[in-house]
Amino acid sequence: MAEDTRDSTNSGPSPTSNGETTNIEDSQRPKPRYEAKSQVGKLWDAFGNPEEPVNMLPGAGSKGKGSDVTVTEAMKSMSLKDATSFYKAPCARDSLLLGIGAGFGIGGVRGVLGGMRAMWTACNWAVGAFALTSLAAHEFCQRRRVQELDGMKQAVELMKELKEKKQREKEQKIEQAARLAEEEKQRKSWTNLSNYKFW
């Protein structure tokens, strides 16, 4: 089988393009950052180091061969800020509010109709209605956003086509005016024999 190219345990010398040998550890040192004001520095800040492999998880090269991510590592990667600001995601607020309303309504009706002995069932119905309604509303909102983005793309393409069409028409008018001016100049030219009358 093929070796894993991400394996960084090999620290022996490796030949370079000009024939010299360098250690792999030397080639994996972070490159010096460019000045932040230059164009290259801005690209470096926006996209990161172009020589780093993009298909590796952060820190995966330092652990040797690929290791499975555990639940605890995944939980450590989440920050408190992400957990407390999930409602700021697109469509989240509306779908959560709709789910809360549906859960309250269905659970309340179930609780009123069932009486005190059906409170546990009413709570289960409320949570289920909240979950289903929130998920359905979120999915519907996401699909609507995708359709809206597609419509905006089509509108931009149509505007671009319209602009190109107007530009072509303008160029044709300029070309036609230039051709008519050239014909008029040719018609009035002294070298045109039809301008001379012999009688």
Side-chain angles (χ1 to χ4, degrees):
M1 300 212 102
E3 284 187 34
D4 189 5
T5 58
R6 297 178 292 177
D7 187 12
S8 63
T9 57
N10 184 9
S11 61
S14 62
T16 58
S17 60
N18 55 1
E20 300 174 0
T21 59
T22 60
N23 287 338
I24 290 180
E25 288 128 10
D26 293 339
S27 66
Q28 290 180 352
R29 287 187 187 144
K31 303 285 183 190
R33 296 190 73 132
Y34 292 100
E35 293 179 23
K37 295 178 182 173
S38 70
Q39 185 68 25
V40 176
K42 290 177 185 175
L43 289 172
W44 189 281
D45 289 339
F47 299 111
N49 187 351
E51 297 182 5
E52 289 178 359
V54 294
N55 60 347
M56 288 179 56
L57 292 172
S62 63
K63 295 182 181 177
K65 290 215 172 193
S67 61
D68 292 335
V69 179
T70 63
V71 175
T72 55
E73 289 177 1
M75 292 301 286
K76 287 178 185 176
S77 69
M78 291 176 56
S79 66
L80 184 61
K81 184 180 178 183
D82 293 339
T84 57
S85 63
F86 71 95
Y87 62 91
K88 292 181 181 177
C91 299
R93 182 177 179 269
D94 293 337
S95 61
L96 286 174
L97 286 174
L98 193 62
I100 289 169
F104 182 75
I106 291 176
V109 168
R110 182 83 176 170
V112 167
L113 293 179
M116 286 303 282
R117 59 185 170 81
M119 261 319 133
W120 189 252
T121 312
C123 290
N124 288 338
W125 276 76
V127 170
F130 163 75
L132 290 176
T133 307
S134 295
L135 287 173
H138 189 267
E139 191 63 32
F140 177 73
C141 181
Q142 289 291 350
R143 287 182 188 220
R144 194 176 61 212
R145 287 186 73 226
V146 167
Q147 288 174 351
E148 185 177 331
L149 287 174
D150 288 343
M152 288 171 62
K153 264 188 214 176
Q154 290 175 357
V156 167
E157 289 173 1
L158 288 174
M159 292 297 288
K160 189 192 295 186
E161 289 176 8
L162 183 64
K163 186 177 179 182
E164 290 173 356
K165 182 180 177 183
K166 285 185 178 181
Q167 184 67 27
R168 282 194 305 264
E169 289 176 357
K170 186 176 179 182
E171 289 174 357
Q172 287 176 353
K173 286 181 182 178
I174 291 173
E175 185 179 309
Q176 186 178 7
R179 188 168 26 89
L180 288 174
E182 183 67 31
E183 288 175 2
E184 184 68 22
K185 184 179 174 186
Q186 183 72 23
R187 188 175 59 81
K188 291 184 178 179
S189 174
W190 64 274
T191 58
N192 189 359
L193 296 177
S194 63
N195 289 340
Y196 298 107
K197 296 181 181 178
F198 297 102
W199 63 99

